[in-house]
Amino acid sequence: MKLDLNKLYIVYIPTKNAEKEDVFDGHPDTLEGLFNQVRGGLKIENIHAIYSTSAEAEKESAKLLIKRMNKVRQTSSVKKGSGFAIFGAEVKASDKYKVQSKPKVYITKKAAMIALDKMLKKGWKRSELKILRY
């Protein structure tokens, strides 16, 4: 198999807040371009792999992102007062930490809104639920 050094597909190791383009942008790079990145500060530890085809790189980057998301979900705990939770309308804001069962806490309000929309589709009424900072 002959390797074309003018078409290298580089997959980077995802960071905590990495998006798809940060891991693999879909554009081929050259050996010279890779050397320039190293001169600019790229460390070998930041590169996961180098592929000869875009399809291989795309597949591997998707696996890496899924792994990273699962790892972040398992290890990230939301600090008190920095997340959002869904409560019944009868729960007062001052009593939100006194409920019997601990609510699921979402990192962003947008994530809590998505979960609320799913609950509304399951038959809950909007007047029965509210989102509070938790």
Side-chain angles (χ1 to χ4, degrees):
M1 181 176 153
K2 189 174 180 182
L3 183 63
D4 183 6
L5 297 179
N6 290 320
K7 271 196 170 179
L8 301 174
Y9 297 92
I10 303 169
V11 177
Y12 301 96
I13 294 175
T15 59
K16 182 179 178 183
N17 299 317
E19 295 181 7
K20 182 179 180 278
E21 291 77 23
D22 299 328
V23 178
F24 175 64
D25 62 3
H27 300 297
D29 205 348
T30 63
L31 193 57
E32 182 181 352
L34 184 58
F35 285 144
N36 288 337
Q37 287 182 10
V38 170
R39 282 189 218 130
L42 178 67
K43 304 262 188 273
I44 192 72
E45 299 88 33
N46 298 358
I47 297 176
H48 173 71
I50 299 174
Y51 293 95
S52 58
T53 66
S54 177
E56 289 175 316
E58 185 74 39
K59 186 176 178 182
E60 187 64 23
S61 67
K63 283 183 191 177
L64 284 173
L65 284 172
I66 289 170
K67 265 189 197 177
R68 183 65 191 157
M69 282 186 353
N70 289 338
K71 189 175 180 182
V72 168
R73 262 191 221 132
Q74 291 169 357
T75 60
S76 69
S77 60
V78 180
K79 293 179 183 175
K80 190 173 181 178
S82 64
F84 297 89
I86 300 171
F87 291 95
E90 67 279 354
V91 176
K92 297 177 186 175
S94 59
D95 294 336
K96 62 186 171 189
Y97 298 113
K98 298 175 186 174
V99 294
Q100 283 188 338
S101 59
K102 186 176 177 184
K104 181 171 181 183
V105 180
Y106 301 94
I107 296 172
T108 63
K109 189 165 187 172
K110 184 177 181 180
M113 291 295 292
I114 291 169
L116 181 66
D117 288 340
K118 288 180 183 176
M119 291 175 76
L120 295 175
K121 288 178 183 174
K122 289 182 181 179
W124 287 84
K125 294 180 182 166
R126 180 65 180 107
S127 60
E128 297 173 342
L129 302 170
K130 63 182 173 183
I131 296 175
L132 296 174
R133 182 172 288 279
Y134 191 81

